[in-house]
Every structure is written in C-alpha cells, then in structure tokens.
Amino acid sequence: MRILFWCEIFLPHVGGVEILVSQLAQALVREGHACAILTNRHALDLPDKEMHHGAEIHRIDFVQTLQSRDPRRLHHLCQQVKKIREDFAPDLHHFFLAGPLVMLLQMTNRAPALPVVTTLQTPLDTVLQGGASTLRLLRESALIIAANRVLLEGIPSAVPETAGKMHLLPNSVHSPTIPPCELPWDPPVLLCLGRLAPEKGFDVALHALALLPEHWSHVRMMVVGEGTERSNLETLCRKLGLSGRVHFHGGVPNDEVPAMVNQSTLVLLPSRWQEPFGIVCLEAAVMQRAVVASRVGGVPEVVEEGVSGLLVEPENPEELASAIASLLDDPVKLRAMGEQASQLAEARFGYRSYLEKHLQWYREASGATPPIHTSVL
C-alpha cells in the first residue's frame, strides 16, 4: 500500500504529531509499504525533498504562498503538489488535522479524488473552530481516527455526517531500545519534556519547583525541548532563584528521548491546554517513570490516577508541588507507579496493535468511494 501523509509541520521540528507520523511511516516502511510525507517548510534552510528512514519528505511553501495572496504562486504550488502525487501514486491520503494545509488537500485531491483518512490530534474546540474547509474534510473523509473519547463523541454531535466513521485509537510509541535504569535520587530530577510554548505550562512547573518543601530544596529540574518560551522561562528561573537547579538541555532527536527519561526521577506534564493525548506520558511509562500531569483533554485516558501517576488541576503550582512532594516522600510507591505505568502502556497502547489497526483502516478506506470533484486546476 502507498500512503501519502499530510502533516502541517514535520521533523526536525519536534512535537507529538511529528513523532507519531515519523514512527508510523517508519513502521509501515518496515512492513513493506511505501510512505511519503507532505509538509510545510517551516525553516528556509530545509531541502525540498529528502528521505526519512525510507519515507519521502516533500516540503512546500504553502503558508508563505497563502500569505502572499498571489494566485499565480498558488497555482504553481498546486501544480507542484499534483506532480508529487502523480510521481508517488498513493492509494490514499492520511491527513493529520492541525491547520490550513487542509485547503491545499482539497484543492489538489481531484480527478480522480483519492480516499482520505483523517486523524484528529487537536482539542475538540480547535477542530470545530477550523472553518468550512475543516468541516468539509470531516464530512468527506472515508474514516476518522480520534485520539481520545472527547473527540470520538464530540465530533459526531457537532458534525452528524461523521457518525459511523469515527474510530478511537489512542496514540502509541515505539518500544525503547535501551532498558530503564534505577531512579536517580542524588539528587532527584524532575523532567519537563516538549515544546517550550505557553500552552505546555512549564512556567507552572518552575513555580512548583520553587514551592517544594525545604527538605526537597536540592531537587533539580531538566527541561528538554526548544521553542519560543525558552527566554521567558530562563528569566523566570532567575526571578525564582532557581538558576542553579534548572538545566535547559535544548531539543533532542526522538530516538534520544528514552535516554533523557532515564535521567529523571519523575516526569511532569503541566499543560494548561486541552492535550488531545499527552504523548509524554507514554514516553515516561515505557521507561518505568511515573508522571504528575494536568487533568486536561485526553490525559486522564492515559494516566490512571493513583496507579501510573497523579493528576492535578492546570495552572495550580501549589497542587503540582504537593503532588511532586508526596511521590518523592514515598520512593517505594513512586517506583511501583513507574512499573505499573510500563505494564499499562504495553497492555493498552502497544505499537503492534496500533499499526495493525491503521493497516486495517487503510484497507477499508481504499475500498471506499471518495467524493467526486471537478478539477479547476
């Protein structure tokens, strides 16, 4: 089977969707399928085309073209995408819904139109506020994959045409290539992993670190990731007197994430937005690390309260600090939570099942009749 993925941004930018698309494409290639990834060029020094573990990456300047409002540039870009499609000859499109790239899919998926599988990885409100192009995509998709139950139940309520083609599939991650190591205690290390963006709430984690009881004043924090908030977070560290206790590591390739998690005692997910899933919780679990996470979005479907981690209200550094301290005060419980998290991750979010469900749904979608459009290009 030949699958053309549509992803708003892709590696080397690191985020949950980028990791999911990368790992899924790699797994499909290993199974003998062909994959290509069409994405926006988010940095000018990235090549138009390159290979990524056997999958083609095609980068286009769609956002810049839209901003130019130049119909000639848009026509040229559409022809470029049509050429990519003709050369790759996909059996279907797999669209990861997140932004304006949906308009380009609809402008170019013509004569003949191919079936579209859509994965929803954004909060329900964001999906429903996506405008006419997003609603049209949902209505015309052969099959829709929801990362959590909020999306699974909320989309058909708002868009009745999607009833009967929604499927729940929580995210998954590849099994790590290194074993988990013992939890470090000299000193204990808290890990914040992800994009340094306001919605991730890493500022809340810094405030929580400053609020830990005196007997945990030696606890360190490692922040792994890059983003626009780094300067603000570093400034906040200095204001809180935490400069000697917080290390900003910068971004790492996805295959180095397990090694980062191995250096931690406890993983934090202090998000203030409605995380559709919270892939960091799984990345922690497969390395036998418990998490303290915000009770938002799909996170409670991943973290079993009191079993694999603790859930706290977002924007509440006092509650976050209390939860962290309660686990650090009980090393036996913390270790047991990490082991439980690993077992639950394998049972509920195993990658083999995740891959096989995609293949099943690709086969079903390929047999579906896509909507017919008249080409205007």
Side-chain angles (χ1 to χ4, degrees):
M1 188 166 290
R2 304 180 68 82
I3 303 101
L4 178 58
F5 291 98
W6 293 65
C7 185
E8 291 290 335
I9 51 178
F10 192 63
L11 304 177
H13 177 91
V14 178
V17 171
E18 295 77 55
I19 292 169
L20 288 171
V21 174
S22 171
Q23 293 193 348
L24 181 55
Q26 290 179 54
L28 288 166
V29 168
R30 285 196 296 268
E31 295 282 319
H33 304 281
C35 296
I37 300 157
L38 185 68
T39 186
N40 282 306
R41 189 198 317 275
H42 61 278
L44 295 178
D45 58 345
L46 293 174
D48 292 346
K49 180 180 178 180
E50 63 179 322
M51 298 301 294
H52 175 73
H53 299 284
E56 301 175 8
I57 302 178
H58 296 273
R59 296 188 179 90
I60 57 173
D61 298 318
F62 182 55
V63 173
Q64 298 93 322
T65 300
L66 275 185
Q67 292 171 344
S68 75
R69 299 180 179 273
D70 184 340
R72 291 171 299 179
R73 285 186 62 181
L74 182 58
H75 177 79
H76 175 76
L77 184 64
C78 288
Q79 296 301 320
Q80 179 185 350
V81 172
K82 288 179 67 177
K83 182 66 164 57
I84 291 170
R85 172 179 154 171
E86 290 170 3
D87 291 345
F88 181 67
D91 296 306
L92 56 82
H93 300 291
H94 188 166
F95 194 89
F96 281 74
L97 184 60
L101 202 60
V102 62
M103 292 185 286
L104 186 60
L105 170 67
Q106 291 166 347
M107 286 187 284
T108 57
N109 188 26
R110 305 169 183 268
L114 296 176
V116 178
V117 171
T118 297
T119 290
L120 302 179
Q121 291 281 348
T122 51
L124 177 62
D125 288 348
T126 303
V127 175
L128 297 180
Q129 293 168 7
S133 294
T134 295
L135 296 178
R136 175 181 160 189
L137 174 69
L138 295 175
R139 294 186 182 104
E140 295 183 348
S141 293
L143 189 146
I144 301 171
I145 301 170
N148 60 50
R149 292 191 178 278
V150 174
L151 290 164
L152 180 74
E153 298 166 2
I155 294 297
S157 296
V159 188
E161 296 92 333
T162 62
K165 57 183 179 182
M166 297 288 302
H167 296 269
L168 176 65
L169 184 61
N171 296 335
S172 183
V173 294
H174 286 174
S175 298
T177 57
I178 60 174
C181 65
E182 288 295 318
L183 303 183
W185 288 100
D186 187 23
V189 178
L190 308 177
L191 174 63
C192 288
L193 173 66
R195 286 181 296 109
L196 306 190
E199 62 268 21
K200 292 299 184 180
F202 291 164
D203 57 312
V204 179
L206 292 175
H207 281 287
L209 179 64
L211 291 171
L212 287 179
E214 179 64 27
H215 66 282
W216 290 121
S217 61
H218 62 298
V219 170
R220 300 293 187 262
M221 179 178 289
M222 182 166 59
V223 180
V224 177
E226 283 292 354
T228 57
E229 277 294 285
R230 176 161 181 165
S231 176
N232 291 336
L233 292 171
E234 290 174 334
T235 299
L236 180 59
C237 271
R238 291 191 291 271
K239 289 182 178 178
L240 294 174
L242 298 174
S243 296
R245 297 173 61 189
V246 179
H247 172 57
F248 288 87
H249 187 281
V252 298
N254 189 55
D255 58 5
E256 294 181 17
V257 167
M260 294 292 103
V261 178
N262 248 351
Q263 297 179 40
S264 70
T265 313
L266 179 63
V267 177
L268 308 181
L269 183 71
S271 294
R272 53 168 52 94
W273 81 307
Q274 296 299 307
E275 290 274 1
F277 185 79
I279 198 72
V280 170
C281 300
L282 271 191
E283 292 173 324
V286 297
M287 299 306 293
Q288 296 186 5
R289 263 48 178 185
V291 299
V292 179
S294 296
R295 189 181 287 104
V296 294
V299 173
E301 298 176 33
V302 187
V303 179
E304 189 167 330
E305 173 73 34
V307 177
S308 61
L310 298 178
L311 297 173
V312 299
E313 292 305 308
E315 302 275 14
N316 192 328
E318 292 81 10
E319 186 180 0
L320 179 58
S322 177
I324 293 169
S326 72
L327 292 180
L328 295 180
D329 285 339
D330 193 343
V332 174
K333 179 180 180 179
L334 180 58
R335 187 179 301 108
M337 274 190 169
E339 293 170 356
Q340 286 280 355
S342 178
Q343 294 170 15
L344 290 172
E346 183 175 353
R348 298 179 183 176
F349 309 107
Y351 204 86
R352 187 69 225 175
S353 174
Y354 180 80
L355 176 61
E356 288 176 352
K357 286 182 178 179
H358 273 93
L359 288 170
Q360 172 192 337
W361 291 334
Y362 288 158
R363 288 190 290 268
E364 291 178 9
S366 296
T369 302
I372 298 174
H373 302 294
T374 301
S375 178
V376 296
L377 300 176

